[in-house]
Amino acid sequence: MIQCRRATIQDLKFLIDGNRFIAEETEGVELSETKLSPGISAILEDDNKGIYWVATLEDHVIGQILVTYEWSDWRNGQIWWIQSVYVWPSARRQGVFKALLEHVTSEATDASVCELRLYADTSNTDAHTTYLSQGFTTGHYQVFEKSLR
């Protein structure tokens, strides 16, 4: 049975690997462990930056999800952004993302979060299909970005 729990520093290697695999699979980008390690550690050490959860099966990490926060003045509430979603290939199509999303949704409901949001690479149509099947919509916003480093 899939279990979801908050990630700990003991999960750091899995989270590094998961993030490296995400970047490679979805964007063809190679991320270094030396860059990822302090960034992920910062989140694990400070809930104000975000929260990672992992999905496990028989004590093996098989999936991950990160939540970061945005305050909405229009809604007078917090929006949780879902990021760094990764399910190990051997565990795909077995409900791992669904379990992680249900866990995050429950945590968000308990924290009076007003909305969950996520984004996906425009070419990642498998992710689009999965997110739509879990009740997400494309919404009416277009995400723009401007790199500062």
Side-chain angles (χ1 to χ4, degrees), residues 52-63:
Y52 270 104
W53 283 280
V54 293
T56 62
L57 184 62
E58 298 174 5
D59 295 324
H60 297 287
V61 173
I62 57 172

Side-chain angles (χ1 to χ4, degrees), residues 72-117:
S72 173
D73 53 348
W74 287 13
R75 293 169 185 80
N76 189 31
Q78 196 171 63
I79 295 168
W80 279 10
W81 280 88
I82 294 173
Q83 301 182 62
S84 299
V85 174
Y86 190 73
V87 175
W88 271 250
S90 63
R92 291 182 184 162
R93 304 279 181 238
Q94 297 176 35
V96 177
F97 174 70
K98 183 177 181 179
L100 284 164
L101 180 60
E102 286 175 356
H103 185 80
V104 166
T105 301
S106 175
E107 294 281 336
T109 301
D110 291 348
S112 299
V113 170
C114 64
E115 188 171 288
L116 296 176
R117 289 185 180 170

Side-chain angles (χ1 to χ4, degrees), residues 19-89:
N19 280 288
R20 290 178 72 198
F21 298 149
I22 293 165
E24 194 173 304
E25 285 182 28
T26 63
E27 298 178 32
V29 173
E30 270 190 52
L31 297 177
S32 72
E33 186 171 334
T34 56
K35 191 165 198 169
L36 285 169
S37 183
I40 295 168
S41 294
I43 292 168
L44 294 173
E45 294 166 3
D46 182 358
D47 291 350
N48 292 311
K49 289 180 173 56
I51 301 173
Y52 270 104
W53 283 280
V54 293
T56 62
L57 184 62
E58 298 174 5
D59 295 324
H60 297 287
V61 173
I62 57 172
Q64 69 179 50
I65 195 167
L66 168 64
V67 167
T68 58
Y69 320 110
E70 172 187 343
W71 180 258
S72 173
D73 53 348
W74 287 13
R75 293 169 185 80
N76 189 31
Q78 196 171 63
I79 295 168
W80 279 10
W81 280 88
I82 294 173
Q83 301 182 62
S84 299
V85 174
Y86 190 73
V87 175
W88 271 250

Side-chain angles (χ1 to χ4, degrees), residues 107-145:
E107 294 281 336
T109 301
D110 291 348
S112 299
V113 170
C114 64
E115 188 171 288
L116 296 176
R117 289 185 180 170
L118 55 77
Y119 55 87
D121 190 271
T122 56
S123 65
N124 192 350
T125 55
D126 288 343
H128 300 177
T129 301
T130 298
Y131 300 148
L132 290 168
S133 77
Q134 295 302 311
F136 285 89
T137 64
T138 55
H140 58 275
Y141 293 107
Q142 172 69 47
V143 175
F144 293 83
E145 58 186 26

